[in-house]
Amino acid sequence: MARIAYDDQTAAAYKAVREIPRDGLEEWREAIRRHLDPSPGKTVVDIGAGTGAFATAFGDWFGLSVLAVEPSAAMRAEIPRRPGIQVLEGDAGALPIPDGSADGAWMSLMIHHIPDMEAAAREIRRVLRPGAPVLIRQGYPDRPYTTRTFPWEFFPETTRTTDTFPSFEQTCQAFATAGFHLDALEPVPETMFSLAEFLAQVDVFRRSATIMRGLTEEEFLRGKEQLRRAVRDAEETSSTEPRANWLDLLVLR
């Protein structure tokens, strides 16, 4: 399913640098609460759960049961084993979940890994209870502020990859074939890390990020130098606070 092979090294890199600290996700917690109407006892399927950052957050924030579905064995190995989280092998087109058993579906930065989104939409429809929402955290090439902001502003050539991602319109159309309709679309900020922190981990970040893997060595080094200059400027002006990024929350029902 993935555009890159999530082996042990890549999964460890993802766990180390791609998981946003929980206190940087406060806006996401409130946005999810508004659209999912969570309550203890409900079940959410986290499709393409990665290393489990949101699977654990759903439990901690809302007391939900989470079915964490992930195709990569290396990524599944990074998901914390704890009460309330069931880790399952599978992907968006083949969910190992009974019909009508989930109260919501969560998909975070993964629709660009799905080869057949219409088939995935049908499968998600199958496992959801009537009226249950699909919540998608994603950046779309036809909404470029979600693919061209921090930290990608230092690596403009990443648009060569993000421009190949499913657009907002394509995503809605694919899910419409399974009877889903647009319920909400809103940009949500998340606080990531400071410029200096990003510089310190940018080499590891490159190994774990789909869009940075498409950079040539020259493009990466040029962006890294721009980032290094930005860090110096920020330190001179004492602008060392964590930076924010924006992604869209798309809600379908």
Side-chain angles (χ1 to χ4, degrees), residues 24-239:
L25 295 172
E26 290 299 309
E27 296 285 348
W28 278 101
R29 181 182 66 178
E30 295 311 308
I32 292 166
R33 187 194 305 276
R34 287 195 298 274
H35 297 289
L36 183 60
D37 190 23
S39 59
K42 287 188 174 181
T43 298
V44 169
V45 53
D46 183 355
I47 303 170
T51 54
F54 277 97
T56 56
F58 278 120
D60 293 342
W61 288 339
F62 310 123
L64 297 173
S65 297
V66 181
L67 304 173
V69 179
E70 169 57 46
S72 165
M75 297 289 265
R76 289 197 306 274
E78 298 286 348
I79 301 175
R81 268 50 177 183
R82 51 187 281 187
I85 298 178
Q86 185 178 357
V87 181
L88 302 169
E89 179 180 3
D91 59 44
L95 297 170
I97 300 170
D99 294 359
S101 59
D103 299 291
W106 171 255
M107 306 168 77
S108 176
L109 294 178
M110 58 77 62
I111 63 170
H112 49 279
H113 293 297
I114 300 175
D116 186 340
M117 205 177 330
E118 290 186 5
R122 291 192 297 271
E123 182 69 348
I124 294 168
R125 171 63 77 192
R126 177 186 66 80
V127 304
L128 290 180
R129 295 190 173 97
V134 181
L135 281 67
I136 302 176
R137 172 179 175 258
Q138 186 72 25
Y140 299 99
D142 50 346
R143 291 172 62 81
Y145 74 91
T146 64
T147 56
R148 301 178 188 178
T149 55
F150 179 77
W152 316 123
E153 64 197 84
F154 299 101
F155 301 93
E157 295 86 0
T158 54
T159 58
R160 194 167 53 237
T161 298
T162 57
D163 283 348
T164 71
F165 286 6
S167 69
F168 165 69
E169 291 297 332
Q170 289 170 333
T171 303
C172 290
Q173 289 171 7
F175 275 84
T177 65
F180 289 98
H181 65 271
L182 175 64
D183 186 66
L185 176 69
E186 61 179 272
V188 181
E190 53 197 35
T191 304
M192 299 183 70
F193 27 65
S194 69
L195 291 174
E197 289 169 334
F198 184 45
L199 177 61
Q201 61 194 23
V202 70
D203 294 278
V204 179
F205 209 96
R206 185 187 185 190
R207 292 201 297 272
S208 66
T210 302
I211 67 175
M212 290 190 74
R213 284 198 167 201
L215 296 173
T216 67
E217 189 65 16
E218 180 182 0
E219 290 167 345
F220 176 70
L221 292 176
R222 183 168 57 244
K224 189 174 179 180
E225 180 56 32
Q226 293 172 350
L227 175 59
R228 189 176 288 113
R229 289 197 296 268
V231 169
R232 289 197 296 266
D233 292 343
E235 290 174 344
E236 290 175 359
T237 59
S238 300
S239 302

